[in-house]
């Protein structure tokens, strides 16, 4: 048992590291894009349909590249940013970039759900666009945003297992190296259970908070 | 106070050009409660929404206190909008903010200090008669209470003009009466100029000093309410007055039956 723990614990921490930082960076990259998509829409506050469709296309292209290929394509970038292509730090780069367009779409759809009348009321009261974004759009869409971010984290947990296989470390890597290649079924089972628990806890926590702050 | 000159606005609907406003000329004086009535699609909503530029007119001028608001840049427009508030049929409150926060919103965006905001919000809630509801969220309020919050929010920055977009159309008759009484009181005590659009004759009858009747993007008659109502010229107004009378006759009949 302690042997399994010795193997699993560091891998688990690596996975947590990848998930936490990738989520953070993907939100930092993706959320502004999502907000811009909403504002630049032809019915949005800034109305820049051309730029909107260009950015929309870039997001679609990025999302249609299979993740495993995206990681390989982004190896050079990992080397530039983190100095290496191996390890959990290096995996955060492709993970964040792969998840960012997903975050952008999730944020976009949550913000588009905000009642148009409420936005109009804010405009009629003399609110500026940044004030509307932060005091109206994000606040009103918060339950949807939380659910969207939860979905993103669950996705990143899955992606991190893949990233692990090509040198990122973490639970996925452990599952392949020990569980699969060394026929350690016990380790395979433990890693799968850990991933299931991780996803389950994330989803339940997200649902709980989304429901708690929803006053509609 | 407000002078509308030859205002035109058209929309493209499925590739067809539809003229919503066909050259509107109108004068609204300070302190009036000005009602614009008409059937659905007559253009009254478009006209009202031009007054705070939620709709941008294609042609014409809107002179408010000597300045043409259609020429305003973004910053001037935002300042202007703090002087001209609007309330809506569906209230349009922030659903994830409580009553206090909803009323504080226009004060926050105007950059006021916390102490002032606190004082002003309480003052406003008292004016509209819901000082006990400040911690409630809109979903727990009745329609009338929601509209009171919306009115408090609209009054926050001491506007000179209040635009009412079918503000009582989603309310029951009794609540409608209470909200109208509140609006009339605000008109009297604050000297607030009110421009409202409605298809409910009772609303016009109850609080308007002046009235304009719209048909197909044009104003077909306007003037002091009592005079206009005494000798209605337009088809719309005659029909509206008839249907209003019809209701009265029906009530009489019911009363006699009892």
């Amino acid at each position: 048992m302690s042997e399994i723990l010795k193997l699993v614990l560091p891998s688990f921490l690596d996975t947590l590291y990848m998930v936490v930082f990738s989520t953070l960076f993907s939100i930092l990259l993706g959320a502004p894009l999502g907000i811009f998509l909403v504002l630049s829409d032809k019915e949005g506050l800034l109305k820049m349909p051309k730029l909107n469709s260009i950015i929309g296309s870039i997001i679609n292209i990025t999302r249609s590249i299979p993740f495993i290929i995206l990681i390989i394509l982004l190896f050079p970038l990992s080397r530039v940013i983190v100095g290496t292509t191996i390890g959990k730090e290096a995996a955060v780069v492709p993970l964040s970039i792969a998840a960012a367009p997903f975050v952008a779409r999730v944020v976009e759809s949550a913000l588009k759900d905000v009642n148009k009348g409420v936005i109009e009321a804010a405009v009629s009261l003399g609110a500026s666009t940044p004030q509307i974004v932060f005091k109206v759009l994000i606040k009103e869409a918060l339950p949807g945003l939380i659910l969207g971010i939860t979905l993103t984290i669950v996705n990143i947990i899955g992606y991190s297992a893949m990233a692990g296989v090509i040198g990122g470390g973490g639970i996925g890597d452990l599952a392949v190296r020990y569980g699969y290649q060394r026929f350690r079924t016990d380790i395979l089972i433990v890693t799968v259970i850990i991933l299931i628990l991780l996803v389950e806890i994330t989803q339940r926590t997200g649902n709980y908070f989304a429901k708690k702050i929803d006053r509609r | 106070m407000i002078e509308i000159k030859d205002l035109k606005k058209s929309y493209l609907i499925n590739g067809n050009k539809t003229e919503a406003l066909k050259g509107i000329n109108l004068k609204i004086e300070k302190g009036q409660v000005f009602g614009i009535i008409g059937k659905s699609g007559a253009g009254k909503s478009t006209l009202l929404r031009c007054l705070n530029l939620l709709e941008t007119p294609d042609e014409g001028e809107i002179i408010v206190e000597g300045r043409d608001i259609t020429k305003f840049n973004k910053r001037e427009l935002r300042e202007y909008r703090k002087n001209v508030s609007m309330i809506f049929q569906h209230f349009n409150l922030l659903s994830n903010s409580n009553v206090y926060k909803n009323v504080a919103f226009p004060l926050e965006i105007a950059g006021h200090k916390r102490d002032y905001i606190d004082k002003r919000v309480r003052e406003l809630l008292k004016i509209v008669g819901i000082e006990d509801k400040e911690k409630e969220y809109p979903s727990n309020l009745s329609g009338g209470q929601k509209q009171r919050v919306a009115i408090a929010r609209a009054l926050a920055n001491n506007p000179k003009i209040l635009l009412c977009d079918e503000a009582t159309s989603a309310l029951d008759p009794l609540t409608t009466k209470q909200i109208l009484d509140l609006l009339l009181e605000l008109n009297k005590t604050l000297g607030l100029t009110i421009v409202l659009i409605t298809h409910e004759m009772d609303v016009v009858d109850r609080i308007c000093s002046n009235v304009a009747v719209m048909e197909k993007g044009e104003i077909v008659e306007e003037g002091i309410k009592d005079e206009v109502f005494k000798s209605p010229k337009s088809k719309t107004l005659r029909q509206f007055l008839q249907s209003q009378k019809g209701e009265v006759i029906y009530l009489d009949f019911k009363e006699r039956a009892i």
Side-chain angles (χ1 to χ4, degrees):
Chain A
M1 187 64 209
S2 70
E3 186 229 345
I4 294 181
L5 192 70
K6 247 185 228 158
L7 278 171
V8 170
L9 190 66
S11 300
F12 175 68
L13 292 177
D14 283 356
T15 292
L16 273 190
Y17 179 97
M18 286 191 278
V19 171
V20 168
F21 284 99
S22 307
T23 304
L24 214 66
F25 290 127
S26 64
I27 292 172
L28 286 177
L29 288 171
L33 276 179
I35 292 168
F36 182 77
L37 282 175
V38 174
L39 296 178
S40 61
D41 185 87
K42 61 180 187 298
E43 287 177 5
L45 290 167
L46 298 179
K47 297 191 181 47
M48 301 157 93
K50 272 191 188 142
L51 199 53
N52 180 288
S53 93
I54 292 170
I55 290 183
S57 300
I58 293 173
I59 286 173
N60 291 345
I61 291 168
T62 321
R63 288 191 65 193
S64 56
I65 301 173
F67 181 59
I68 205 97
I69 293 171
L70 196 65
I71 300 179
I72 296 166
L73 287 175
L74 290 172
F75 269 159
L77 190 63
S78 292
R79 186 167 285 129
V80 171
I81 297 177
V82 207
T84 172
T85 59
I86 291 175
K88 55 184 193 290
E89 292 88 354
V92 168
V93 175
L95 279 172
S96 306
I97 290 174
F102 182 78
V103 172
R105 288 297 185 202
V106 158
V107 168
E108 181 192 19
S109 82
L111 296 188
K112 277 199 170 161
D113 259 357
V114 174
N115 182 351
K116 298 276 175 298
V118 178
I119 300 168
E120 195 160 75
V123 172
S124 81
L125 289 164
S128 65
T129 304
Q131 285 170 331
I132 290 174
V133 168
F134 291 105
K135 285 178 182 280
V136 180
L137 284 177
I138 292 180
K139 233 179 145 192
E140 284 288 286
L142 208 51
L145 287 173
I146 288 180
L147 287 178
I149 299 305
T150 307
L151 200 61
T152 308
I153 297 174
V154 169
N155 261 337
I156 289 179
I157 292 171
Y159 279 176
S160 79
M162 273 194 256
V165 176
I166 42 177
I171 290 284
D173 173 48
L174 186 73
V176 171
R177 279 193 294 122
Y178 282 76
Y180 180 68
Q181 287 166 350
R182 299 186 196 179
F183 305 105
R184 286 287 300 272
T185 314
D186 52 344
I187 295 216
L188 192 63
I189 291 171
V190 171
T191 54
V192 170
I193 290 174
I194 288 177
L195 286 174
I196 291 173
L197 285 178
L198 209 53
V199 169
E200 189 72 21
I201 291 167
T202 306
Q203 191 64 54
R204 278 176 194 270
T205 315
N207 289 352
Y208 172 79
F209 283 110
K211 201 174 168 202
K212 196 174 171 186
I213 58 160
D214 195 354
R215 302 289 187 158
R216 279 173 291 184
Chain B
M1 181 166 216
I2 305 174
E3 193 177 352
I4 300 167
K5 287 183 189 166
D6 211 21
L7 199 70
K8 287 181 187 161
K9 170 82 186 176
S10 54
Y11 298 102
L12 273 179
I13 300 169
N14 301 327
N16 297 319
K17 198 175 160 190
T18 312
E19 283 184 276
L21 301 177
K22 299 175 187 167
I24 301 285
N25 288 290
L26 200 63
K27 254 188 186 171
I28 298 169
E29 300 297 338
K30 191 169 162 39
Q32 287 183 341
V33 180
F34 198 105
I36 301 168
I37 53 175
K39 296 176 186 164
S40 315
K44 54 190 192 303
S45 187
T46 307
L47 177 57
L48 189 79
R49 293 160 56 87
C50 280
L51 294 182
N52 60 358
L53 294 185
L54 283 182
E55 299 278 357
T56 327
D58 301 333
E59 277 176 55
E61 294 177 356
I62 303 170
I63 317 276
V64 179
E65 296 191 307
R67 300 170 73 198
D68 183 359
I69 66 165
T70 62
K71 305 272 192 303
F72 279 172
N73 63 30
K74 273 191 170 177
R75 176 189 290 267
E76 287 171 322
L77 182 56
R78 280 205 303 275
E79 285 312 309
Y80 166 75
R81 280 174 174 155
K82 285 169 191 161
N83 274 315
V84 182
S85 287
M86 194 172 210
I87 56 172
F88 304 85
Q89 179 175 7
H90 298 295
F91 324 119
N92 296 348
L93 300 174
L94 295 160
S95 56
N96 276 330
S97 299
N98 62 21
V99 167
Y100 182 98
K101 276 292 194 183
N102 265 287
V103 179
F105 176 78
L107 298 162
E108 283 172 9
I109 60 174
H112 287 294
K113 293 224 169 64
R114 235 211 190 123
D115 294 349
Y116 173 79
I117 293 177
D118 197 53
K119 199 176 118 240
R120 182 76 180 135
V121 169
R122 279 165 221 285
E123 211 172 270
L124 288 159
L125 291 178
K126 208 169 172 189
I127 292 175
V128 298
I130 44 167
E131 57 265 61
D132 55 331
K133 302 280 182 214
E134 66 171 71
K135 293 219 164 57
E136 296 286 347
Y137 283 83
S139 57
N140 293 332
L141 300 177
S142 69
Q145 289 167 337
K146 283 183 202 169
Q147 198 59 290
R148 282 169 194 271
V149 178
I151 291 171
R153 178 175 71 174
L155 294 177
N157 286 322
N158 297 306
K160 298 191 179 91
I161 302 169
L162 181 68
L163 308 174
C164 308
D165 188 355
E166 298 275 5
T168 56
S169 300
L171 303 174
D172 63 67
L174 183 66
T175 314
T176 296
K177 182 181 163 299
Q178 290 166 343
I179 293 293
L180 292 179
D181 287 348
L182 174 63
L183 290 177
L184 204 55
E185 192 190 314
L186 296 171
N187 166 256
K188 296 256 154 38
T189 55
L190 305 176
L192 190 67
T193 306
I194 297 178
V195 185
L196 61 88
I197 61 167
T198 184
H199 58 263
E200 296 172 305
M201 285 302 284
D202 292 339
V203 170
V204 181
D205 221 2
R206 197 168 184 92
I207 68 167
C208 290
S209 56
N210 296 67
V211 62
V213 184
M214 284 189 78
E215 266 175 30
K216 290 178 188 156
E218 286 171 302
I219 289 182
V220 286
E221 61 185 310
E222 62 136 331
I224 295 167
K225 180 195 70 187
D226 294 337
E227 290 171 12
V228 173
F229 275 25
K230 213 177 280 169
S231 53
K233 292 183 193 72
S234 65
K235 197 176 155 211
T236 302
L237 188 57
R238 281 204 300 270
Q239 283 174 342
F240 274 19
L241 284 168
Q242 251 163 29
S243 73
Q244 194 192 18
K245 254 189 235 154
E247 257 183 54
V248 174
I249 291 166
Y250 174 71
L251 281 175
D252 282 350
F253 171 71
K254 244 174 112 180
E255 271 167 18
R256 264 182 282 151
I258 296 164

